[in-house]
Amino acid sequence: MRFNAIINRYMIREFLPPFGINLFFFSFIFLITKILEITNLVVNYQVSLLSFLTLLAYSMPYFLAFITPMSVMMAVLLTFLRMSDDNEIVALRACGLNPHRFLVPVLTFCFLGWLVTTFITTVGLPLANRSYYSLSLALAKTHVDAAIKERTFIDSFQGLTLYVNQVDLQNRSMKDVFIEDQRNKAVNNIIVAPSGRITSDPEKQALHLTLFNGTINQVALADQSAHAISFKTYQMQLDLKEMFSKGLAKSKPVDQMSLAELRRYLTSTRNQGEPHYKALMKYHEKFALPFACFALGLVAIPLGIRAKRGPRSAGTIMGILLFLSYYILLTMGWSLGESGAIPPAAGMWAPDIVLGGIGIFLYIRMIQGRPIRMKWPRLKRSSCAATCAHGDDAGDPQ
């Protein structure tokens, strides 16, 4: 028993360095896309460095919920690959260690990853999403230009839909502006202009749009008559106060709800179709993602302990492919479950069941001493020699 305890502690210590390295590496990769988005706020809207770092910190739980299971898998895989290459697995078996004993440290490490991921999905992620949204809204109040985003349909204004193809905040110019104005119940106005300018008033929380050389298409709803009016200059004011107040007062999105709030929301939307499906997907996601630590960790054991020696990169590549397969299945399950094509619970738990089943199958083959064969194409030496000789003969002068 003391021997087993020593081996368990040794393997768990061996898991930690690759886990930390993988967690740091994948966090850096995932954060690159978010850094570009937040850097736009710093450069164009003069957001402070503290606000930038705070937004970055609020973004981290979203990434950690996905990369923690992957880091657990890669830590187990790399550790067993090293132990296999150093013949430590052979030595442990020669000392009489049952291969099933490898499950104890692996499952313990996966359990720790499950605890961390569960805390992130159930507690950290809703708080971070809500804090990120509130801080973004507060920054938008002090930098009202942030309300205009290029190539995005903006419908936050009462009775208005705004689309701008290109925004240059250096000279505050706009290109290809489209506005649908439905504030007048009798007339529907569609305004199109090739260019315009933005003037902001942070104190009044208002935006002034000046459009040039455009056209107003008016449709009278009573008699369905249409008129077109050309203009050289057209001015419009957008009041941001109502948009901000709506943003703060509206109900929480499902990704910002705590577990208790999500349960109450599911009860109230039981017969509402797509909103209920989306909330149910989010509910199961909070538990299915952490359970991936066990499914992926179990797959990593037989891939790391190679019964038949081969290239070390083979197990790593296979592990990455299985990990990508997991998230492809997760994406497909989310799409099908949200639309109601399949039960939401099946959409979220199917990837764990599939990968867990593959892990159990490969583990049984390893215990039975049946090697995991991964064939890699090799150029036969005789064929290479024949090809080279043929090339030399062809190059000789006749």
Side-chain angles (χ1 to χ4, degrees), residues 270-306:
R270 188 174 299 277
N271 299 318
Q272 294 185 16
E274 186 174 342
H276 177 73
Y277 293 146
K278 184 177 180 180
L280 198 57
M281 294 291 291
K282 277 292 179 184
Y283 180 80
H284 285 286
E285 183 186 56
K286 294 180 181 296
F287 302 100
L289 279 180
F291 191 79
C293 293
F294 292 101
L296 295 174
L298 187 61
V299 170
I301 300 175
L303 292 180
I305 303 175
R306 293 165 295 158

Side-chain angles (χ1 to χ4, degrees), residues 37-55:
E37 177 183 338
I38 300 176
T39 302
N40 179 60
L41 296 175
V42 177
V43 174
N44 295 322
Y45 305 113
Q46 289 78 48
V47 175
S48 66
L49 180 61
L50 179 60
S51 298
F52 167 79
L53 295 176
T54 305
L55 288 174

Side-chain angles (χ1 to χ4, degrees), residues 133 137 141 144 155-160 183 204-207 237-250:
Y133 174 79
L137 203 60
K141 286 185 177 182
V144 294
D155 56 359
S156 303
F157 305 101
Q158 183 66 34
L160 280 175
R183 291 177 294 183
K204 296 182 179 180
Q205 296 182 6
L207 284 177
Q237 178 175 318
L238 302 179
D239 188 2
L240 302 179
K241 293 180 180 178
E242 183 178 359
M243 183 186 73
F244 293 145
S245 61
K246 286 170 58 180
L248 290 174
K250 70 178 183 179

